[in-house]
Amino acid sequence: MSEDSLNSLQKTTITNCEQEPIHIIGKAQAHGVIIICDVTTLDILQCSENVEEILGFSLEEILKKNIDMILPEDLMKTLVRKLKDNITLLPKTIRLNNKEFFIIPHLSGESLILDFDPHGGSLDPLVYQEQLTKILNEIGDKQTIPEISQNAVELVKYLFDYDRVMMYQFDEEWNGKVVAEVKESHLESWLGLHYPASDIPKQARQIFLKQGVRIIADVNYKPAAIFPELSPINGKPIDISKSELRAVSPIHIEYLQNMGVGASLTAAIVLNGELWGLLACHHYSPKFINYNQRQSCKFLTQVFSNKLALRTSNVFIEKMAYSEDIRKKLVLQMSSIKHLNDAICKFEPNFTNIVECSGGALVLDGTICMVGKTPTEEQIKFLLSEFLVKQEESLFFTKNLMKKIPAATSFKDKASGVLSIRIGENKNDYLLWFRPQAIESVSWGGKPVKSGVVKDGVEYLSPRRSFEKWTEKKSGAAIPWEEYDFEAAYNLEESITNIIVRNQKDHIKALNDQLLEANKELETFSYSVSHDLRAPLRGIDGYARILRDYCKNKTDDYGRNAINTIINSAELMDTLIEDIISYSKVGQTRIQPVSLSINTILDQILTTHNLSGEYPKTEIIVQEDIPRIVADRRMFSQLLANLVGNALKYSAKTAHPTVELGFNVKDGRTVYFVKDNGIGIDAAGKEKIFEVFSRVAGDDFAGSGVGLAIAKKIIEKHNGALWLDSKLNEGSTFYFSIPEDL
């Protein structure tokens, strides 16, 4: 790429700001120097052209020389050692040209990038500690999200004294809204204003997510080009997206200049691995804060993200507790009222109470039962036949049905938002919930339209110049559905399916002779087990516990042991029933494959198993770089939980228990394994270990004999393979693989 062609990409009018190559912008901000070395030889290959002005070395002096001509001997030794041992590189301070700098290193492909960032004066350690303490203390656990957001912006204003500090939250379409603000008194408030997604394009959001904190010390700076433009290693522009000193997109610079901003600080707010919003600071003159201060800001955003996750989880739990209470009442009604339609539609509560909605419809066996404000029966039939039955997934939701079905405009005041879930395997049976369009006034920070000109049939975009408040009436979209709505729908659908299966027991028994596999009978019967056996079983358990407490000092050891035996047997039977249900669910559930991180799921499983308390001697070995796997999240978590749980349990009594998880590649496919050094399995046990209720470990280890049968069924649902390599008293290794094109 020539200099002219690279410059053409950096003009302030480009054909598509979503495609602007900001990660290879090839320039540094004016206040620091970027030096790029060969990671193997540490020879200097590229450097920003302001090196002589800031560090006192000319380009000719340092290019193609080793970095040791700049770095002191002790720092060089540390750098070489860490690169050799693949140890994380950390920032260091250095004095050059009578100035203090932070050297901030990171790797980019085959290159080592060193940012020489001005030190900007030292921060008193006591003051720094007080700042961190203030951050921890003032962002509370029990505050609402708006309160947490306001606390965060006030803290940043207090710590760094920017003229304006805002919390900026994204919606599902990446439009942003200012949800908290603190500012100098003479500035106009932007609280509550919306900004279109084009203001912060996709690649900019991706870099925020990767880098965390980003400053522009002087919006009107003159960038320093990296020389030479292309990497001598591969002849391509270097990716400097992680550089603290990377120059700023000229479109973004012009955008800030149009706002009158002189300097900015932006920090990513990440929730569950996704960009939730931004902490945006504006100053109306140049302003620099050093690396340590930026790390304080990063720490604050991490604390905020943790509190946000906690609050979001609490809201989820509260909503699920409410919907679970409604579900239990509906189950009671379905159990005592003959007709299912009457049970969940004609009594209080009805199925629409389980999520926030204006109305709903139950479609069962060709009959439509409508509750509340809904489209007409003909419109619901149209929605089913022309759209819902064609969906592969059982759960469907949208907040703007008109975007998917233009004909839905005729009933947008009753069903702009739709949440539906298929009941069982019948493609014609559904639960539907409706929400009307929400008409609201939205205030934008400037009219949210793309600005630019059309030349030769191509639209050239440029940054917005107007940020005056502009209000529009929005309609057509309903209030968005949330994760707890989906979970409530899943749970109710499962309960209805349970009742339907129970009511069809006689019919199912008549069809048993036609089943090809004995396990099919178990899958169907398990619903009845869960309903018919658990209620009396819990009665036995409850009254036995009452009897134990009542007779605590009134009976002898034999009597107390007898009561405890009843309680333990009830608990064992309840576990057995739960395992039967889990086994049946695997067969009944449609897989929904997604890309999963095995390491993340394993961390959750190990946390659940309370290693320090229950397996304090067990060593866990996890192979590095375990590839992601495409599988159903719930099923795969259950598979891994069963295999790891067995490995922990059956190795716990060895002298030095070890559990290992890893992978290898065999015949072009990835094979994962869970290995232990426990009791092992003899040849006879291997033949039946995956059968339901088959246990070969004896009475020394608790279990129902269903876990590995569930694991095998999960693998079969994924068209994969599960096998065992084991020797008695020498441990076991369970291998499994799943096709990548699932």
Side-chain angles (χ1 to χ4, degrees):
M1 183 183 293
S2 68
E3 184 173 359
D4 288 341
S5 61
L6 187 63
N7 286 340
S8 69
L9 288 174
Q10 296 170 346
K11 291 179 180 178
T12 57
T13 55
I14 64 172
T15 56
N16 191 337
C17 59
E18 288 283 351
Q19 299 174 0
E20 186 184 10
I22 57 178
H23 63 297
I24 54 170
I25 206 162
K27 295 182 180 181
Q29 292 192 52
H31 62 273
V33 174
I34 298 176
I35 292 181
I36 302 168
C37 304
D38 185 311
V39 73
T40 304
T41 65
L42 295 183
D43 288 338
I44 299 172
L45 303 179
Q46 296 169 275
C47 182
S48 59
E49 293 181 338
N50 58 350
V51 62
E52 185 168 5
E53 174 188 348
I54 294 178
L55 300 186
F57 297 96
S58 67
L59 281 170
E60 292 75 13
E61 284 182 273
I62 65 171
L63 284 178
K64 299 183 181 180
K65 304 294 191 335
N66 197 274
I67 193 64
D68 62 7
M69 72 173 292
I70 297 177
L71 302 184
E73 183 179 355
D74 59 335
L75 188 54
M76 277 298 301
K77 289 181 179 179
T78 301
L79 182 62
V80 170
R81 176 178 58 82
K82 288 189 173 185
L83 287 172
K84 179 181 178 182
D85 297 337
N86 197 27
I87 299 174
T88 301
L89 302 174
L90 299 175
K92 298 289 183 182
T93 57
I94 187 175
R95 187 170 184 83
L96 287 171
N97 200 24
N98 297 318
K99 302 172 188 174
E100 293 285 335
F101 294 92
F102 283 101
I103 298 182
I104 308 169
H106 74 274
L107 298 176
S108 177
E110 300 169 287
S111 300
L112 169 67
I113 297 179
L114 301 173
D115 289 338
F116 287 75
D117 200 23
H119 196 281
S122 59
L123 187 65
D124 187 324
L126 181 59
V127 174
Y128 185 67
Q129 183 177 357
E130 289 176 351
Q131 288 183 356
L132 299 186
T133 303
K134 188 174 181 67
I135 290 169
L136 289 171
N137 290 340
E138 295 199 12
I139 301 182
D141 291 335
K142 297 183 179 180
Q143 295 175 312
T144 64
I145 292 175
E147 288 171 340
I148 298 172
S149 301
Q150 189 62 33
N151 272 8
V153 298
E154 288 175 359
L155 272 170
V156 172
K157 173 70 171 163
Y158 169 80
L159 295 175
F160 308 123
D161 197 29
Y162 277 84
D163 291 333
R164 186 196 302 271
V165 183
M166 300 170 289
M167 186 66 70
Y168 184 90
Q169 182 181 354
F170 293 115
D171 65 15
E172 65 275 10
E173 295 175 345
W174 298 108
N175 299 311
K177 178 182 178 182
V178 179
V179 296
E181 177 192 57
V182 61
K183 62 180 182 61
E184 294 298 314
S185 59
H186 66 278
L187 295 174
E188 177 187 5
S189 175
W190 292 349
L191 184 63
L193 293 186
H194 293 69
Y195 292 85
S198 58
D199 281 9
I200 306 176
K202 180 179 179 180
Q203 77 277 30
R205 297 193 299 267
Q206 291 172 338
I207 289 181
F208 279 132
L209 189 62
K210 183 189 302 184
Q211 191 172 35
V213 177
R214 173 86 161 137
I215 69 162
I216 304 174
D218 183 355
V219 166
N220 299 302
Y221 77 100
K222 181 180 178 181
I226 292 176
F227 184 86
E229 171 192 333
L230 304 180
S231 170
I233 296 177
N234 55 25
K236 298 178 180 179
I238 188 77
D239 182 346
I240 57 172
S241 56
K242 291 184 180 180
S243 170
E244 298 281 333
L245 294 168
R246 174 177 53 82
V248 186
S249 155
I251 282 187
H252 187 59
I253 288 292
E254 187 175 346
Y255 177 88
L256 293 174
Q257 289 172 337
N258 291 344
M259 297 178 82
V261 173
S264 70
L265 167 69
T266 311
I269 305 296
V270 180
L271 178 63
N272 299 326
E274 295 185 353
L275 195 62
W276 177 89
L278 296 173
L279 183 68
C281 306
H282 288 171
H283 208 66
Y284 292 88
S285 60
K287 182 177 179 65
F288 173 78
I289 65 171
N290 70 18
Y291 178 78
N292 280 339
Q293 292 172 302
R294 300 198 297 270
Q295 291 304 296
S296 294
C297 185
K298 191 171 187 178
F299 176 70
L300 184 147
T301 59
Q302 289 169 345
V303 172
F304 176 86
S305 296
N306 290 338
K307 303 298 184 183
L308 183 64
L310 178 61
R311 184 59 189 159
T312 303
S313 297
N314 288 341
V315 170
F316 181 88
I317 292 169
E318 291 167 6
K319 294 288 186 179
M320 287 308 302
Y322 171 80
S323 67
E324 184 64 10
D325 181 62
I326 299 295
R327 186 193 67 82
K328 288 178 179 178
K329 292 176 181 178
L330 289 172
V331 169
L332 183 60
Q333 290 174 190
M334 288 186 286
S335 301
S336 56
I337 297 172
K338 183 176 181 180
H339 296 293
L340 188 61
N341 290 22
D342 293 343
I344 67 173
C345 294
K346 296 184 178 181
F347 293 86
E348 289 295 332
N350 60 62
F351 76 95
T352 63
N353 299 126
I354 207 162
V355 300
E356 184 181 347
C357 65
S358 57
L362 169 66
V363 183
L364 187 64
D365 296 331
T367 300
I368 299 178
C369 179
M370 298 179 289
V371 179
K373 296 180 180 179
T374 72
T376 65
E377 185 170 334
E378 288 302 314
Q379 289 168 337
I380 292 174
K381 288 180 179 179
F382 169 79
L383 175 61
L384 289 166
S385 61
E386 297 301 317
F387 188 74
L388 290 180
V389 296
K390 299 176 182 179
Q391 304 304 307
E392 289 294 326
E393 304 299 331
S394 65
L395 180 77
F396 167 80
F397 65 93
T398 180
K399 72 171 188 177
N400 194 337
L401 187 61
M402 292 182 297
K403 281 189 174 181
K404 300 181 180 294
I405 310 175
T409 304
S410 61
F411 51 87
K412 65 182 180 180
D413 57 333
K414 294 179 179 177
S416 285
V418 175
L419 169 61
S420 75
I421 190 166
R422 190 178 300 127
I423 301 174
E425 295 297 320
N426 190 338
K427 275 208 167 188
N428 297 311
D429 292 344
Y430 285 87
L431 278 169
L432 300 98
W433 293 267
F434 303 118
R435 285 177 178 171
Q437 65 174 341
I439 301 176
E440 59 178 340
S441 293
V442 176
S443 294
W444 296 86
K447 194 171 182 179
V449 295
K450 293 181 178 180
S451 59
V453 297
V454 176
K455 181 180 179 181
D456 298 328
V458 177
E459 183 182 11
Y460 288 80
L461 305 177
S462 61
R464 290 192 298 121
R465 296 183 179 275
S466 172
F467 297 91
E468 293 183 2
K469 185 176 179 180
W470 186 84
T471 302
E472 70 169 339
K473 290 279 189 181
K474 291 189 67 175
S475 63
I479 298 171
W481 305 98
E482 302 289 350
E483 190 68 32
Y484 45 76
D485 295 321
F486 309 146
E487 198 69 22
Y490 274 123
N491 291 341
L492 180 58
E493 182 275 332
E494 186 175 335
S495 296
I496 292 174
T497 300
N498 184 7
I499 296 295
I500 291 172
V501 172
R502 189 198 68 178
N503 293 338
Q504 294 175 344
K505 279 194 299 184
D506 292 340
H507 181 63
I508 292 172
K509 288 179 180 179
L511 296 175
N512 277 345
D513 293 339
Q514 301 176 28
L515 297 178
L516 299 176
E517 299 178 11
N519 284 341
K520 290 288 184 180
E521 183 176 350
L522 176 62
E523 291 170 3
T524 306
F525 184 64
S526 67
Y527 286 104
S528 297
V529 170
S530 69
H531 185 272
D532 294 339
L533 292 187
R534 273 187 155 170
L537 182 63
R538 286 168 180 162
I540 293 170
D541 180 76
Y543 279 106
R545 293 178 187 273
I546 293 172
L547 186 61
R548 180 181 61 186
D549 294 340
Y550 180 79
C551 299
K552 185 174 183 180
N553 298 316
K554 299 179 181 180
T555 186
D556 55 15
D557 290 343
Y558 178 81
R560 286 190 292 272
N561 288 337
I563 294 171
N564 286 331
T565 299
I566 295 172
I567 294 172
N568 292 337
S569 298
E571 290 177 345
L572 179 60
M573 189 172 181
D574 188 66
T575 300
L576 185 60
I577 292 171
E578 183 63 37
D579 286 342
I580 294 172
I581 295 168
S582 297
Y583 181 77
S584 72
K585 284 181 181 178
V586 173
Q588 298 286 353
T589 304
R590 182 190 300 272
I591 65 172
Q592 299 185 18
V594 294
S595 177
L596 301 173
S597 166
I598 291 182
N599 295 86
T600 300
I601 294 175
L602 181 62
D603 287 344
Q604 296 169 350
I605 291 170
L606 295 178
T607 300
T608 302
H609 278 291
N610 186 21
L611 293 184
S612 60
E614 297 188 19
Y615 303 98
K617 297 181 180 179
T618 301
E619 180 184 9
I620 306 295
I621 301 173
V622 181
Q623 188 174 339
E624 293 184 0
D625 301 321
I626 296 179
R628 297 176 71 89
I629 192 168
V630 176
D632 183 281
R633 182 183 300 277
R634 291 185 180 182
M635 290 189 189
F636 185 77
S637 297
Q638 188 176 16
L639 165 72
L640 205 58
N642 285 344
L643 295 181
V644 172
N646 280 351
L648 290 168
K649 178 168 62 176
Y650 293 122
S651 65
K653 295 183 179 181
T654 61
H656 302 288
T658 302
V659 174
E660 182 179 356
L661 190 141
F663 76 100
N664 54 56
V665 178
K666 184 177 181 181
D667 298 330
R669 64 172 178 167
T670 302
V671 177
Y672 304 87
F673 64 84
V674 177
K675 180 179 181 181
D676 67 74
N677 62 344
I679 61 173
I681 303 170
D682 60 20
K686 291 181 187 178
E687 297 297 322
K688 58 181 182 178
I689 193 65
F690 295 109
E691 298 174 3
V692 181
F693 304 125
S694 176
R695 300 192 70 245
V696 298
D699 296 331
D700 292 338
F701 298 88
S704 63
V706 181
L708 288 177
I710 292 173
K712 188 171 188 294
K713 180 67 70 175
I714 289 171
I715 289 295
E716 288 174 350
K717 289 284 288 187
H718 288 77
N719 298 321
L722 173 67
W723 65 97
L724 168 68
D725 183 13
S726 181
K727 290 185 179 180
L728 192 63
N729 300 321
E730 293 184 18
S732 302
T733 304
F734 287 87
Y735 298 91
F736 63 92
S737 66
I738 293 175
E740 294 182 0
D741 57 346
L742 184 65

